Amino acid sequence: RLYRALADRADVAVAVGDARRALLRSEDPLVRSDWHLARLWLGPAGGGPLVAGSRKRSLVTATRGTRTFLDRKQQVPVAAAAMFVGRRPELQQALRALRSSQRAGVLVHGQGRLGKSSLAARIADRCQDMAVAVVFGDYGAPAIADAVGAAVRANPAARQLIESRLPAVRERPEAIEGLLVDLVAGPCAQAGDDGRRPLLLVIDDLEQILKADLAGPHRVLPDHAPVLAAVLRAFDPTETDSRLLVTSRFTFALDELETRLEAVQLPPLSPVAQRKLQRRQQALTPAERQAERARLAARALAVSRGNPGLQDLIGLRLVYGEQVSLERAEAAVAGMGAYLRQGDLPADAEVRAFLENLALDALLREAGAANVDLLRAVTLFTVPVPESVIGVLTEQQGGSVSRLRGLGLLEPYRDLYDPARPALAADPLAAGRVEPLSTREQVAIAAAGLGPLFAAWGAAAPRPHRDQALDLQLTRLALLADAPAIAAACAVGAVTSLRGGPAADASRLGQDAVDLLDRHGLAVPVDLLRQSAGAAFTGDDGEAGEAGEALLDRAAQQVQAGNEHGTSPLDQARVIAERARRLITRGELEQAEELFLRAHQLFTAGESELEATAVMKSIADIAYQRGHYDQAAELQRSRLEVNKRLGDLDGIAAAGWALARIDLAREDYASAVPRLTESFQIFGRLQRPDGIAIVGVPLGRLLLAGGHADAARRVLSDALAAATKIGWTETVQQIDKLLKSAGAEDEGT
């Protein structure tokens, strides 16, 4: 609706307003609830039409490059448009390189079935002003000339040049260099009004003519090296807009001519991209089968480890396959899981063939002992770490980072602390095939890598703020390396990050960090005592609850001692609030309310508005439990206003959920649905699995009751994945039942 109005030269503000109204009128509650999120910012000059001029737009559709096959002989199948997800950074990097005058082209490399050919097809689609030639299977000079000739046949000068020189190329393959030089510097040098277009020569699956070299990168087979060298020399970015695009599982060396190509390495899909791909696979699957196999699909997603080809095989074709029995699908997923624990190849023929094609074990043998040792060392890290840290490990383990990257065994990511800095992680499929690290090895590797990693991620005073996932990584390493100072700096964030999952994990980590500091005689931060106690109380383990009481008592003693332990009135307020939460679990609501009111006073006096608002939420929860819905709603609305003013998304989502609970208690379902929807979406953006699971259950139930089965399945599938991730067994079972009812509803039962 927005683009139609903009194309009709409507004022941009008018177009946006019209689109917002269209959202508001949507029959889908998940769409309708977002109507107010469309925002428009204008500069001092105001708005006006976005589209001007009268030049006719391209007739090429948005999905032109999303073809079924990359090559004209239909030998290279690529992902359909709907199944191509998660490759925007690599697509942008490749396009920047192709459009610059610094490189002759791009080398897209990475492990098998990560989508290299599919990415090449999308790159070709974006290069609409270029003639695309694809070489696959036959990499000889005549085959290259034939492919180029077919691509430039609409260019008379280029066609005539190739026809006149093709006999010479067939007689002397080395003549391909002269032909290509004259072509790309002549009729294919630039786009012109006479129909001339530069050439994009795609050489797909180059690994077919590469051989392993234990001393370094793969080498080109002797019979093919002269031709490939001639092709690389022919494309001079300072003289032509024509470019090369090469895909290969491996990097290669060819007299340094490979440096003329920009290397773009594909990593596995991110968890977000995996879920996006799964949703698109679910769109092709009948509701009943989705419901029946929801939990198995979540397991299939996990064992695919971000490989889109494997996710397509196990997820779409086996788990969701129409002709595949549930027993075979379960066996395939179980077999894949066992394989990733160093087991044998799965019995399922299709999965077995897929893994044999990946040849992970052969790659590891090819890498050599020193590189495998380095890869095993990198598996200690649960998040990507800066390349400089991996470099430190090479001094301890030996091996080569470039060698492992060239084989696709180490893969690139953006560093979570500094996105402009590259980070590396072990390929998750290969990591499942190497021998796990012993405790002794873990200690040695942690001792070597912890200091450089702590420094790279901002040390004790990180600027910008360090993500809690990084605090968790550092704390785990600090426990292994017996490094109390780093544990003291990071453990609070680590415990906080785990409190969204199984309580026992957070409680155990917190207690281990406290014990480490105690052994070394270091002061334990009161926030660590408080967070660890809260985690212990959350579980249903009586022994852990007793440990939590001891930790909370210790925190109370520290805040009462005041300056002696460097604590403040805000620390006191936090401990009081934690004590009040403990009283709620015991059913002592009146005493809990008194403590919360005291904590609220201290937070307000200390000008900690956000924490005062969180305490207000707890007081509102007590009112809700007593059935005082009007009082609870008033407190939650006040809290929501503060959360919105402070931009606290987590607080906004939690307040919306709390208000929705009140609506549900009053049976005001019309008010509950939009509140639940907004909270669910915010928790999704924040990647809070506990919030997704908690809110997803009532939202899915209401959508089902309202006849919105498709929307309900989307919500419940996300909630199921979240509940499975954090080990909420009862919630998983509850969602399973709802999903089955969603499938039955579509069947009219």
Side-chain angles (χ1 to χ4, degrees):
R1 186 65 167 262
L2 173 64
Y3 289 144
R4 259 202 310 272
L6 293 175
D8 289 338
R9 298 180 175 78
D11 181 277
V12 66
V14 172
V16 170
D18 181 60
R20 280 162 59 103
R21 284 188 292 274
L23 285 174
L24 185 58
R25 292 192 294 267
S26 172
E27 295 182 358
D28 187 336
L30 285 176
V31 174
R32 185 170 63 246
S33 64
D34 279 345
W35 73 272
H36 62 291
L37 296 180
R39 307 292 174 83
L40 173 66
W41 284 267
L42 299 174
L50 186 67
V51 175
S54 57
R55 183 176 177 180
K56 187 176 181 181
R57 64 164 292 170
S58 169
L59 295 178
V60 174
T61 67
T63 58
R64 167 185 174 266
T66 56
R67 42 194 144 189
T68 306
F69 294 89
L70 174 61
D71 65 322
R72 61 190 174 91
K73 295 182 180 179
Q74 299 190 354
Q75 295 174 284
V76 189
V78 298
M83 300 300 170
F84 183 76
V85 301
R87 295 302 186 200
R88 180 171 294 180
E90 294 80 19
L91 177 61
Q92 292 173 336
Q93 180 187 355
L95 290 173
R96 281 195 300 269
L98 290 173
R99 291 165 181 168
S100 77
S101 59
Q102 306 301 313
R103 301 282 186 174
V106 168
L107 169 65
V108 177
H109 68 100
Q111 195 185 84
R113 300 303 302 275
L114 282 179
K116 298 180 293 295
S117 296
S118 296
L119 177 60
R122 301 313 177 273
I123 293 170
D125 177 51
R126 297 299 182 92
C127 299
Q128 297 179 7
D129 59 343
M130 303 183 81
V132 179
V134 180
V135 174
F136 172 80
D138 184 349
Y139 302 93
I144 294 173
D146 286 342
V148 171
V152 302
R153 62 185 181 276
N155 182 335
R159 185 177 67 244
Q160 183 178 1
L161 177 63
I162 290 178
E163 288 175 351
S164 65
R165 306 274 282 276
L166 189 56
V169 171
R170 296 191 189 283
E171 285 186 20
R172 295 182 301 105
E174 62 271 20
I176 189 69
E177 182 172 357
L179 168 60
L180 290 176
V181 167
D182 292 345
L183 182 72
V184 302
C188 291
Q190 290 181 315
D193 293 335
D194 58 353
R196 296 189 177 197
R197 293 189 294 168
L199 173 69
L200 178 65
L201 176 56
V202 182
I203 302 178
D204 196 42
D205 275 12
L206 187 72
E207 71 268 11
Q208 294 188 39
I209 58 170
L210 300 182
K211 66 175 181 177
D213 184 346
L214 296 181
H218 278 64
R219 297 280 176 177
V220 184
L221 292 171
D223 291 347
H224 292 85
V227 171
L228 184 60
V231 171
L232 289 170
R233 285 193 296 264
F235 287 75
D236 186 341
T238 63
E239 296 182 357
T240 180
D241 289 339
S242 291
R243 294 291 185 268
L244 283 166
L245 175 57
V246 181
T247 75
S248 173
R249 290 195 183 187
F250 317 115
T251 56
F252 65 95
L254 183 60
D255 300 329
E256 297 190 355
L257 289 170
E258 72 280 359
T259 61
R260 297 168 66 87
L261 303 175
E262 170 104 359
V264 177
Q265 184 177 1
L266 293 192
L269 294 178
S270 69
V272 172
Q274 282 186 277
R275 288 291 299 149
K276 185 175 182 180
L277 178 57
Q278 187 182 56
R279 288 193 192 94
R280 296 185 179 186
Q281 293 171 340
Q282 288 169 339
L284 304 175
T285 306
E288 187 176 15
R289 195 175 308 125
Q290 282 189 52
E292 178 190 36
R293 304 188 178 187
R295 198 183 304 189
L296 185 60
R299 289 173 53 201
L301 194 70
V303 299
S304 69
R305 300 287 177 93
N307 185 296
L310 189 55
Q311 184 174 338
D312 175 75
L313 171 59
I314 297 182
L316 180 61
R317 290 157 55 188
L318 294 181
V319 171
Y320 289 143
E322 183 178 0
Q323 305 300 325
V324 179
S325 69
L326 181 59
E327 291 74 17
R328 180 190 169 190
E330 288 178 337
V333 173
M336 187 66 210
Y339 175 78
L340 293 174
R341 295 188 297 273
Q342 293 190 287
D344 295 332
L345 284 166
D348 186 276
E350 288 188 74
V351 179
R352 187 185 188 93
F354 183 99
L355 294 173
E356 287 174 340
N357 179 260
L358 286 187
L360 292 174
D361 292 344
L363 275 181
L364 292 169
R365 288 193 298 271
E366 187 179 309
N371 282 308
V372 170
D373 286 342
L374 178 57
L375 182 67
R376 291 178 63 241
V378 177
T379 63
L380 181 63
F381 304 111
T382 56
V383 295
V385 298
E387 188 169 354
S388 60
V389 177
I390 309 294
V392 171
L393 297 186
T394 63
E395 299 174 8
Q396 180 190 65
Q397 305 290 330
S400 164
V401 170
S402 61
R403 173 72 167 153
L404 287 173
R405 288 194 65 177
L407 292 172
L409 298 174
L410 269 185
E411 291 165 321
Y413 300 85
R414 291 182 179 179
D415 183 35
L416 293 177
Y417 183 73
D418 179 4
R421 178 175 59 194
L424 296 172
D427 172 73
L429 290 175
R433 297 299 297 166
V434 298
E435 182 182 352
L437 294 168
S438 67
T439 301
R440 190 175 188 177
E441 288 174 314
Q442 291 179 34
V443 170
I445 295 164
L450 177 58
L453 184 59
F454 185 54
W457 285 346
R463 295 289 184 275
H465 181 72
R466 186 165 50 228
D467 189 280
Q468 290 176 349
L470 305 186
D471 277 332
L472 176 59
Q473 176 71 94
L474 289 167
T475 301
R476 285 173 168 162
L477 294 174
L479 291 171
L480 284 168
D482 199 39
I486 295 179
C490 305
V492 174
V495 175
T496 303
S497 72
L498 287 178
R499 290 194 67 177
D505 293 345
S507 175
R508 189 180 307 112
L509 182 79
Q511 187 65 63
D512 288 346
V514 170
D515 291 344
L516 173 64
L517 298 179
D518 284 344
R519 280 200 312 274
H520 287 269
L522 270 66
V524 180
V526 68
D527 276 351
L528 177 56
L529 293 169
R530 180 177 58 82
Q531 289 281 4
S532 301
F537 296 148
T538 303
D540 54 5
D541 184 348
E543 193 172 314
E546 291 179 9
E549 291 282 6
L551 291 170
L552 195 55
D553 287 342
R554 186 171 167 182
Q557 292 169 9
Q558 284 192 200
V559 297
Q560 287 169 5
N563 292 336
E564 180 183 342
H565 290 278
T567 58
S568 68
L570 288 178
D571 291 320
Q572 183 182 1
R574 291 165 188 143
V575 173
I576 290 172
E578 197 64 59
R579 178 70 72 190
R581 294 186 187 97
R582 176 59 170 163
L583 291 174
I584 288 179
T585 64
R586 294 175 174 175
E588 301 174 25
L589 300 184
E590 290 186 10
Q591 297 92 323
E593 186 175 31
E594 290 177 8
L595 290 180
F596 277 132
L597 289 170
R598 174 61 180 150
H600 188 272
Q601 291 173 349
L602 290 171
F603 283 133
T604 303
E607 298 183 349
S608 181
E609 192 174 18
L610 198 57
E611 289 180 292
T613 303
V615 167
M616 187 188 303
K617 173 258 182 193
S618 298
I619 297 171
D621 287 342
I622 291 174
Y624 171 82
Q625 291 182 46
R626 292 172 173 175
H628 301 160
Y629 298 142
D630 290 340
Q631 179 190 359
E634 183 179 353
L635 288 169
Q636 293 289 5
R637 281 193 291 268
S638 298
R639 168 208 180 189
L640 180 58
E641 289 304 314
V642 176
N643 291 138
K644 286 182 175 179
R645 179 162 49 79
L646 297 177
D648 175 23
L649 287 177
D650 190 70
I652 292 170
W657 159 237
L659 286 166
R661 283 202 307 164
I662 297 170
D663 293 331
L664 292 172
R666 290 169 164 168
E667 299 185 359
D668 183 1
Y669 304 124
S671 298
V673 169
R675 286 192 172 120
L676 289 170
T677 300
E678 184 175 18
S679 293
F680 183 80
Q681 292 171 340
I682 293 174
F683 281 135
R685 290 200 294 273
L686 295 175
Q687 297 186 36
R688 280 280 306 274
D690 53 340
I692 295 169
I694 288 171
V695 178
V697 173
L699 177 57
R701 186 179 286 116
L702 287 178
L703 290 171
L704 276 176
H708 302 286
D710 287 342
R713 276 192 297 273
R714 290 197 299 270
V715 167
L716 292 170
S717 294
D718 287 350
L720 178 67
T724 302
K725 179 179 180 181
I726 57 181
W728 287 5
T729 306
E730 291 184 6
T731 305
V732 167
Q733 294 171 349
Q734 186 179 10
I735 296 171
D736 270 342
K737 292 179 181 178
L738 288 170
L739 277 169
K740 288 176 181 176
S741 66
E745 193 165 301
D746 274 6
E747 298 297 319
T749 60

